[in-house]
Amino acid sequence: IARPGAGLRLRGDAYLQQMLSPAQLDQYRRDGYLALPGFKTAAEVDAACRRAHELVAAFEPDARTSRFSTRDRSRLADAALLASAEAVQCFLEEEALDDAGRLCVPKAESVNKIGHALHELDPVFRAFSRGPALAALARELGLVQPQVWQSQLIFKQPRIGGEVGWHQDASFFVTTPHTVTTFWFALEDATLNNGCLWVKPGAQHDALREQYVCDHARGKLTMKPLDRTPWPERADSVPLPVVAGTLVVFGGLLPHCSEANRSGRSRLAYTL
Ligand code: FE2
């Protein structure tokens, strides 16, 4: 894959750079996703990891800190999650607190995710979330006017990294037509052991099964069923083990999930 600066052409005020081969574009259109190893350099990945760990070090968890779970969505109905839309907020792994609300793992291994405005508020992730390579890729994927609406660091901690069940990212960003596209950057190697992504190839045209609805007045967040298409079976899906620096890009309707991490290695990712 071309690096920023390679093969740049100037036309008007737009830098043009070819990111994808015709075969890669065909693959994206056919399967609904594409893995691009080496999209980020080792230095960019290192800077992002260092910053992620700085944010955790500065975080002061207490019994009121929200835990994050996709299994019991009623737990998400709290002010912290709503407020995090415009903040940089840590959420704990479900298993990071004991029954008395005390941290039962080292703080450095307690955070499930940080969201959801890193791309705007954090200088390191602001830079990571922009640039000619990303702009060129977005354009080649057919995004006419790309806009970054959300960012999160997903830690998938050793031993207690939570499972993320089957979902479609468009549930959280409903547009007409569906144009939501996810950019998922591996900041550490994602493997079968530490909870790599699983996707159902070719399912990027599935109906949207559910919609995340925010009732700001009542501070309630609910998942509204829209379509009864069953979630994929394991036999229909494929794992996406990738090395650090890889960008996995997929359409908002593509069903995907990841397993719990019971291994001794974290699986840090950053998503837009
Ligand atoms: Fe997702």
Side-chain angles (χ1 to χ4, degrees):
I1 188 158
R3 294 296 319 154
L8 283 179
R9 276 189 299 130
L10 199 60
R11 191 172 73 190
D13 57 356
Y15 287 93
L16 299 178
Q17 174 182 15
Q18 199 69 34
M19 302 303 296
L20 299 176
S21 67
Q24 285 175 313
L25 207 46
D26 284 349
Q27 193 189 333
Y28 182 74
R29 290 185 181 132
R30 184 187 67 227
D31 297 336
Y33 69 93
L34 199 56
L36 302 170
F39 189 89
K40 290 289 187 182
T41 63
E44 288 171 313
V45 169
D46 282 352
C49 288
R50 246 180 290 122
R51 184 62 185 146
H53 294 126
E54 276 174 22
L55 291 170
V56 173
F59 164 56
E60 290 180 17
D62 61 37
R64 290 162 302 163
T65 305
S66 296
R67 279 179 271 194
F68 186 79
S69 166
T70 63
R71 284 184 297 172
D72 178 5
R73 293 205 180 267
S74 64
R75 289 194 186 195
L76 306 187
D78 65 26
L81 194 67
L82 282 170
S84 74
E86 294 168 33
V88 174
Q89 175 98 33
C90 292
F91 295 88
L92 294 173
E93 293 280 7
E94 257 193 301
E95 297 174 36
L97 297 178
D98 63 18
D99 291 342
R102 290 177 301 237
L103 264 194
C104 55
V105 295
K107 186 176 80 168
E109 297 180 7
S110 68
V111 172
N112 171 288
K113 68 171 186 173
I114 303 177
H116 289 91
L118 290 149
H119 63 289
E120 289 185 348
L121 301 180
D122 186 90
V124 173
F125 287 103
R126 194 180 163 81
F128 193 96
S129 308
R130 286 165 173 75
L134 209 46
L137 176 61
R139 192 173 45 240
E140 287 170 42
L141 294 175
L143 299 176
V144 175
Q145 190 186 354
Q147 302 174 0
V148 183
W149 277 80
Q150 187 190 80
S151 51
Q152 43 186 341
L153 275 163
I154 307 171
F155 285 79
K156 203 70 112 171
Q157 297 287 357
R159 290 170 288 278
I160 61 165
E163 170 193 2
V164 177
W166 284 108
H167 66 282
Q168 296 160 295
D169 287 347
S171 291
F172 304 90
F173 303 89
V174 177
T175 62
T176 307
H178 293 294
T179 55
V180 171
T181 305
T182 298
F183 295 79
W184 190 103
F185 300 90
L187 299 182
E188 294 176 321
D189 295 350
T191 69
L192 286 170
N193 286 331
N194 69 1
C196 69
L197 284 173
W198 285 74
V199 299
K200 182 182 177 187
Q204 69 274 20
H205 304 300
D206 276 11
L208 187 61
R209 292 166 174 83
E210 47 190 14
Q211 179 178 353
Y212 199 49
V213 179
C214 304
D215 180 343
H216 285 272
R218 295 164 60 214
K220 281 189 82 115
L221 300 164
T222 51
M223 198 56 102
K224 180 171 112 187
L226 297 178
D227 184 272
R228 291 168 178 271
T229 303
W231 291 109
E233 300 290 338
R234 173 52 64 91
D236 302 326
S237 59
V238 298
L240 297 181
V242 294
V243 297
T246 301
L247 167 57
V248 182
V249 59
F250 51 94
L253 294 173
L254 187 79
H256 59 285
C257 67
S258 63
E259 294 179 336
N261 180 11
R262 300 299 175 196
S263 81
R265 301 184 63 166
S266 59
R267 191 229 64 187
L268 184 59
Y270 178 65
T271 70
L272 300 174

